[in-house]
Amino acid sequence: MQLVRQNEKSAKKRHRSGVVVLAALLAAAVASGCAAETGGSGTGAPGGPAKPAAGQQGEAAPQAGPARALDTYAEALRKKQAARAVAAKKWGLAKTPLAAPEPPRTKPPITTRKGFEVRDDKGLPPVFTTVPTKEKIVFLTMDDGAEKDPELLRMMTELSIPYSAFLSDYVTNDDYGYFKKMQQRGVTISNHTLNHRYLPGLSYAEQKREICGQQEKILKHYGKRPTLFRPPYGNYNRDTLVIAKSCGITAVPLWSSEAFPDHMEWREWDRDLHPGDIVLTHFRGKGDWKGSMPDMIRRVMKTITDKGYAVAKLEDYV
């Protein structure tokens, strides 16, 4: 199907907006810290506490809650980025990954992308490739689960890069423990069906077994039914969405670009990233593509960082 994308000027305007917001936040944190130091020094600065009389002990002015919170956030961000810089060198990244802004307090409303609708889809889980946001962020997602590379776990943990796993049981059932370790590191485990079959070619009952059966597998091994579902190959019909909703799915994120160890593939006409784009890759190794999973991460992070984007956690927005 033909996909439509906003023009470059609009995208760049949103990019600048995200940078300005983060810069303002950090500036506010620094300014608040300075103001607090001045106010507590007893200098009688305008708006500050009165200077104590001679022979009297001045009472220290408590730092305002919002200022203290901003200082704490700025310091945590500084430490996280310093650790990331060290990890980036260790793992051979071209640049240190950029810091994502704090997630929104309220998740944005998600609707089905134009051209991705099914008939009578009111109330069904939305199907989308991009999350509505003005922040210069993208979301990294990994499908299937065939490759279980321990280096990936260490690399992503040390780099503090969030990602989401959409698993199929037929390739994960030989080592559920690998993905349990991933979950313990903060990765959300989501549904990619039991056997990765082409869903529109199946009966209603067969689709239900693929989708709802995987819900139960994930519940059994990871303690929670997913709310996110990605159909194999990105193919679905109305039955798919009806069934997914019936067993707890609330959203169907697809993707706008795909990462490999040696190249990127683009779904959009302008072959570029945009605020809120979902990036797809797979749990694969050298037997399936030209490189390892760490090679793939180095490639996709170079693309993302070079274009001025940070990686955020999908589940914070959906």
Side-chain angles (χ1 to χ4, degrees), residues 22-44:
L22 183 57
L25 181 60
L26 293 176
V30 174
S32 298
C34 294
E37 291 174 5
T38 303
S41 65
T43 60

Short mmCIF file of all heavy atoms in Angstrom, two decimals, residues 22-44:
data_model
loop_
_atom_site.label_atom_id
_atom_site.label_comp_id
_atom_site.label_asym_id
_atom_site.label_seq_id
_atom_site.Cartn_x
_atom_site.Cartn_y
_atom_site.Cartn_z
N LEU A 22 14.32 19.83 25.85
CA LEU A 22 15.33 19.20 26.71
C LEU A 22 16.34 20.22 27.18
O LEU A 22 16.73 20.24 28.35
CB LEU A 22 16.02 18.07 25.95
CG LEU A 22 17.06 17.27 26.78
CD1 LEU A 22 16.41 16.69 28.02
CD2 LEU A 22 17.66 16.18 25.93
N ALA A 23 16.77 21.12 26.28
CA ALA A 23 17.73 22.14 26.66
C ALA A 23 17.16 23.05 27.74
O ALA A 23 17.83 23.41 28.70
CB ALA A 23 18.13 22.97 25.43
N ALA A 24 15.87 23.41 27.59
CA ALA A 24 15.23 24.27 28.58
C ALA A 24 15.16 23.59 29.93
O ALA A 24 15.35 24.21 30.98
CB ALA A 24 13.83 24.64 28.10
N LEU A 25 14.87 22.28 29.91
CA LEU A 25 14.78 21.52 31.15
C LEU A 25 16.11 21.53 31.89
O LEU A 25 16.18 21.79 33.09
CB LEU A 25 14.36 20.09 30.85
CG LEU A 25 14.21 19.15 32.06
CD1 LEU A 25 13.16 19.69 33.01
CD2 LEU A 25 13.86 17.76 31.59
N LEU A 26 17.21 21.26 31.16
CA LEU A 26 18.53 21.23 31.79
C LEU A 26 18.94 22.63 32.24
O LEU A 26 19.52 22.80 33.32
CB LEU A 26 19.56 20.68 30.81
CG LEU A 26 19.36 19.20 30.45
CD1 LEU A 26 20.37 18.77 29.41
CD2 LEU A 26 19.47 18.33 31.68
N ALA A 27 18.61 23.66 31.45
CA ALA A 27 18.94 25.03 31.83
C ALA A 27 18.20 25.42 33.10
O ALA A 27 18.75 26.05 34.00
CB ALA A 27 18.58 25.99 30.69
N ALA A 28 16.94 24.99 33.17
CA ALA A 28 16.15 25.29 34.36
C ALA A 28 16.75 24.63 35.59
O ALA A 28 16.77 25.19 36.68
CB ALA A 28 14.71 24.82 34.16
N ALA A 29 17.25 23.40 35.40
CA ALA A 29 17.85 22.69 36.52
C ALA A 29 19.08 23.43 37.03
O ALA A 29 19.25 23.63 38.23
CB ALA A 29 18.23 21.27 36.09
N VAL A 30 19.94 23.85 36.11
CA VAL A 30 21.15 24.57 36.50
C VAL A 30 20.80 25.90 37.14
O VAL A 30 21.32 26.28 38.19
CB VAL A 30 22.07 24.81 35.28
CG1 VAL A 30 23.25 25.68 35.67
CG2 VAL A 30 22.55 23.47 34.74
N ALA A 31 19.86 26.65 36.53
CA ALA A 31 19.46 27.95 37.05
C ALA A 31 18.85 27.82 38.43
O ALA A 31 19.11 28.62 39.32
CB ALA A 31 18.46 28.60 36.08
N SER A 32 18.04 26.79 38.62
CA SER A 32 17.40 26.59 39.92
C SER A 32 18.44 26.32 40.98
O SER A 32 18.34 26.81 42.11
CB SER A 32 16.42 25.43 39.84
OG SER A 32 15.40 25.70 38.93
N GLY A 33 19.45 25.52 40.64
CA GLY A 33 20.50 25.22 41.60
C GLY A 33 21.26 26.48 41.99
O GLY A 33 21.54 26.72 43.16
N CYS A 34 21.57 27.33 41.00
CA CYS A 34 22.30 28.57 41.28
C CYS A 34 21.47 29.50 42.14
O CYS A 34 21.95 30.13 43.07
CB CYS A 34 22.67 29.28 39.97
SG CYS A 34 23.86 28.36 38.99
N ALA A 35 20.18 29.60 41.81
CA ALA A 35 19.28 30.48 42.57
C ALA A 35 19.19 30.02 44.01
O ALA A 35 19.16 30.83 44.94
CB ALA A 35 17.90 30.49 41.92
N ALA A 36 19.15 28.72 44.21
CA ALA A 36 19.04 28.20 45.57
C ALA A 36 20.28 28.53 46.37
O ALA A 36 20.21 28.89 47.54
CB ALA A 36 18.83 26.69 45.53
N GLU A 37 21.47 28.45 45.73
CA GLU A 37 22.70 28.76 46.43
C GLU A 37 22.75 30.23 46.82
O GLU A 37 23.13 30.60 47.92
CB GLU A 37 23.90 28.42 45.55
CG GLU A 37 24.08 26.92 45.34
CD GLU A 37 25.17 26.62 44.35
OE1 GLU A 37 25.83 27.57 43.90
OE2 GLU A 37 25.36 25.44 44.02
N THR A 38 22.33 31.11 45.89
CA THR A 38 22.34 32.54 46.16
C THR A 38 21.38 32.88 47.29
O THR A 38 21.68 33.63 48.20
CB THR A 38 21.95 33.33 44.89
OG1 THR A 38 22.86 32.98 43.87
CG2 THR A 38 21.99 34.82 45.14
N GLY A 39 20.16 32.31 47.21
CA GLY A 39 19.13 32.62 48.21
C GLY A 39 19.55 32.19 49.59
O GLY A 39 19.17 32.80 50.58
N GLY A 40 20.33 31.13 49.72
CA GLY A 40 20.70 30.62 51.03
C GLY A 40 21.96 31.24 51.59
O GLY A 40 22.41 30.88 52.68
N SER A 41 22.55 32.20 50.88
CA SER A 41 23.85 32.75 51.32
C SER A 41 23.70 33.92 52.26
O SER A 41 24.67 34.44 52.78
CB SER A 41 24.67 33.16 50.09
OG SER A 41 24.02 34.23 49.43
N GLY A 42 22.46 34.44 52.43
CA GLY A 42 22.24 35.56 53.32
C GLY A 42 22.70 36.87 52.74
O GLY A 42 23.04 37.81 53.46
N THR A 43 22.69 37.01 51.40
CA THR A 43 23.15 38.24 50.77
C THR A 43 22.05 39.25 50.61
O THR A 43 22.29 40.37 50.18
CB THR A 43 23.74 37.94 49.39
OG1 THR A 43 22.72 37.33 48.59
CG2 THR A 43 24.92 36.97 49.49
N GLY A 44 20.82 38.87 50.86
CA GLY A 44 19.71 39.80 50.71
C GLY A 44 19.37 40.06 49.27
O GLY A 44 18.90 41.13 48.92
#
